[in-house]
Amino acid sequence: MKPVDNEVEDAKLNSAGQMAIRSMIQALPEEPVSMAWRSALNEQLLASAAKQRKKRRLLWFASPAAGLTLVTALAFVVMFQPAKHIAANVSDHGVESAILSDHHSATLTSEVSTAGLNLNEVTNDANESDPVDGVWSESDVESL
Amino acid sequence: MSLRALSGTLCLVFAASVGAQGNGRGAPPRLRGDVPLLLFRAIRAQPTLKYTGTYIVEFRQSSPPVRHQELITRDGSQYRIDFPTDSQFAGQVIVEDSHVRLHYHPIANEIIQQPPRHGESWEKVANLATDPKFHLSTAEGQVVAGLKTEQLVVSDKFGNIIQRLFIEPNSGVILKRQIFDLVGTQAGFFEFTQIDLAPKIDPTAFVIKRKNAAVITPETQLQRVCKRQGFVYRVINPSSGFLLESAIGRKFAGIQGIVETYVNGRIRLWVYILKSPVDPMRLRQQARKSEHFYSWHSGEETIVLIGNLPEKSLENLAGAMSVGTPPPPAKL
């Protein structure tokens, strides 16, 4: 700090306002701290410390346990992911209805066809077959 | 000929004809007493019918309904089916006798060898005369393919019409047949548009000769579809009496499956194999009275057998299903 600045600060500290506040504080009566208050404070500090220790001990056990649980859950998700080909809920897909519906159609139409083409052959066996792989069904085409 | 003599003759014809289907299922069922003469005539004529003609077939169970035309040449139990040149099936030829059915596909240059099929439809007509669940009546027919017909109406015991057959009474040929669903909607039909009842037929018409064509059995078809779709090859042993007719891949509610169809005379059996669980309780709830099934799991696949057979028989057939490799390709 420059000397000029020091002189300015001293002047401020010795101003009349500062001097008045200083004398007021010096005039305040000195109150001795009671033993009872100190004792109460100590008890509070001890209780607080005990709580802190308990909390720390709990965390010491809980943190690894929580971590272990998290790791186990992640492992379950990764290791035991449900297979993709199994429908999450078969009933929602109505696979049973679809099977029976197909069967009803097949039963009815087998009554109509004689020596000629049946419904499967009419819907699948048009002359659009691959010359190498033979007759293709609709699902074969979908799987391409 | 008296009615008694006619009935006796027809019983013999019926017995001989059903026996000729060769499925070894014992004595033929007894004829009912209330069978209309029109149906007798049709049954009697079946084994010896000879004609050439054109008919339309329509299946309404698919959406939209599918209709096509077939050109038929028939001499008794020998059939040949061709298709018009503007048909999507042009070039395909089907020949069939009482032992085998051969279906030539020109683009694939393959001959699909299958169990005969006409016997099944013939036995179904014959079954009308034996099964008491059908109520039979006659009505005035229509002119079909230029010929006057009489109508055989088949109903259930409540009077719901199941099918109508339009029969030319002199020849006994069925010129039109309509099948109705449970609510009376026509589910499909065939109808002749032209027929010659006195044709000259070249016997070679019933032979398919194609030297470089591959002969494909239904077992080969099944092997192909299993390979493409990643399924285990499963087939019912032919010693059970059920012969594999076809195998196709199909999706059911978005789930890949395979449908195997088996025939044993007029009895059909369907095997559905899906890579997904199938709830037997739901199947039971939704199945019709005549639909029996047996299902089980094997690995990640569910196999469902459906047919108009007692569940115990289906269970036995399930036991006759083998897993493994198909037999070597057939030779004609």
Side-chain angles (χ1 to χ4, degrees):
Chain A
M1 193 180 279
K2 294 174 183 175
V4 179
D5 294 339
N6 285 339
E7 282 171 20
V8 172
E9 291 299 318
D10 287 343
K12 280 182 182 174
L13 286 170
N14 293 325
S15 65
Q18 284 291 332
M19 293 305 285
I21 288 166
R22 197 180 299 162
S23 60
M24 269 175 65
I25 290 167
Q26 282 171 352
L28 285 171
E30 214 168 295
E31 284 185 53
V33 179
S34 76
M35 289 301 287
W37 184 86
R38 280 172 188 255
S39 173
L41 181 64
N42 277 337
E43 278 175 17
Q44 280 181 11
L45 285 171
L46 276 169
S48 169
K51 272 186 192 170
Q52 289 273 350
R53 271 202 304 277
K54 205 175 172 184
K55 204 172 172 181
R56 231 178 283 135
R57 214 178 297 139
L58 192 72
L59 279 172
W60 192 85
F61 282 108
S63 303
L68 203 65
T69 309
L70 189 68
V71 169
T72 310
L74 280 169
F76 256 93
V77 169
V78 173
M79 300 289 288
F80 299 101
Q81 205 172 21
K84 279 176 185 170
H85 61 265
I86 295 174
N89 188 338
V90 173
S91 301
D92 288 350
H93 288 106
V95 70
E96 295 84 6
S97 306
I99 288 173
L100 288 171
S101 172
D102 183 85
H103 181 247
H104 296 163
S105 296
T107 311
L108 272 171
T109 54
S110 73
E111 292 279 345
V112 180
S113 58
T114 55
L117 299 175
N118 64 23
L119 181 61
N120 280 339
E121 291 164 339
V122 169
T123 49
N124 294 331
D125 284 8
N127 285 336
E128 293 153 9
S129 307
D130 187 295
V132 177
D133 284 335
V135 181
W136 288 67
S137 73
E138 56 184 336
S139 55
D140 292 330
V141 175
E142 282 172 20
S143 67
L144 289 175
Chain B
M1 190 186 283
S2 71
L3 190 60
R4 179 175 287 192
L6 178 64
S7 296
T9 308
L10 290 174
C11 279
L12 285 172
V13 168
F14 180 68
S17 304
V18 171
Q21 297 306 315
N23 294 306
R25 292 196 305 278
R30 292 180 63 186
L31 289 167
R32 295 162 44 178
D34 60 344
V35 178
L37 192 61
L38 183 65
L39 181 56
F40 271 139
R41 284 176 178 160
I43 291 171
R44 183 181 56 177
Q46 286 297 316
T48 53
L49 279 176
K50 188 175 180 181
Y51 55 78
T52 57
T54 306
Y55 57 81
I56 299 164
V57 187
E58 183 175 290
F59 301 107
R60 291 203 178 184
Q61 284 299 298
S62 61
S63 186
V66 285
R67 177 185 280 216
H68 71 282
Q69 215 174 22
E70 295 181 353
L71 315 174
I72 188 166
T73 304
R74 179 179 175 181
D75 189 355
S77 61
Q78 291 183 301
Y79 290 76
R80 179 190 171 105
I81 307 285
D82 294 274
F83 299 89
T85 49
D86 59 346
S87 165
Q88 59 179 326
F89 310 109
Q92 293 189 28
V93 180
I94 299 166
V95 296
E96 183 174 316
D97 60 21
S98 54
H99 302 292
V100 72
R101 172 188 175 87
L102 301 172
H103 185 165
Y104 176 64
H105 290 262
I107 293 181
N109 196 28
E110 288 179 345
I111 300 166
I112 313 291
Q113 184 180 308
Q114 293 172 303
R117 196 176 289 170
H118 75 272
E120 180 193 1
S121 57
W122 145 233
E123 283 200 31
K124 277 177 181 166
V125 173
N127 189 45
L128 298 174
T130 58
D131 195 333
K133 78 177 177 191
F134 297 117
H135 177 77
L136 306 173
S137 62
T138 51
E140 197 177 335
Q142 302 171 346
V143 174
V144 182
L147 299 172
K148 200 178 173 191
T149 64
E150 290 176 20
Q151 192 185 158
L152 179 75
V153 184
V154 184
S155 318
D156 64 14
K157 63 179 178 182
F158 304 106
N160 298 304
I161 294 174
I162 301 167
Q163 49 180 294
R164 292 178 190 273
L165 288 87
F166 295 82
I167 300 165
E168 199 285 307
N170 297 320
S171 62
V173 65
I174 301 166
L175 290 176
K176 180 177 175 181
R177 189 175 182 196
Q178 296 171 294
I179 307 290
F180 300 91
D181 65 14
L182 293 179
V183 293
T185 309
Q186 184 177 272
F189 75 92
F190 79 80
E191 180 175 358
F192 275 88
T193 52
Q194 178 269 321
I195 191 162
D196 179 358
L197 291 170
K200 282 185 181 172
I201 299 172
D202 179 357
T204 61
F206 304 110
V207 178
I208 287 183
K209 275 185 185 172
R210 182 75 187 168
K211 282 183 179 171
N212 64 337
V215 179
I216 305 297
T217 61
E219 286 78 12
T220 312
Q221 284 184 314
L222 176 61
Q223 186 192 27
R224 282 178 177 175
V225 73
C226 285
K227 196 176 170 186
R228 279 184 207 139
Q229 307 296 348
F231 280 77
V232 175
Y233 178 89
R234 301 172 197 275
V235 70
I236 292 177
N237 195 319
S239 64
S240 66
F242 283 86
L243 303 173
L244 182 65
E245 185 193 57
S246 66
I248 59 163
R250 179 165 289 168
K251 282 192 172 174
F252 296 91
I255 295 165
Q256 187 60 54
I258 288 179
V259 187
E260 297 175 17
T261 312
Y262 292 83
V263 288
N264 183 355
R266 66 181 167 82
I267 305 170
R268 265 182 184 264
L269 178 72
W270 284 264
V271 179
Y272 293 87
I273 307 174
L274 276 80
K275 285 194 174 183
S276 154
V278 177
D279 186 350
M281 288 301 288
R282 275 181 168 265
L283 273 179
R284 200 173 299 281
Q285 285 166 0
Q286 296 172 26
R288 290 177 185 168
K289 221 174 168 181
S290 59
E291 284 172 327
H292 302 283
F293 66 89
Y294 180 80
S295 68
W296 75 98
H297 299 278
S298 179
E300 56 182 11
E301 296 174 8
T302 306
I303 302 104
V304 184
L305 269 62
I306 306 183
N308 189 5
L309 288 165
E311 282 184 25
K312 187 67 192 166
S313 303
L314 293 174
E315 192 179 342
N316 291 338
L317 285 167
M321 188 165 235
S322 63
V323 177
T325 49
K331 285 180 182 173
L332 282 178

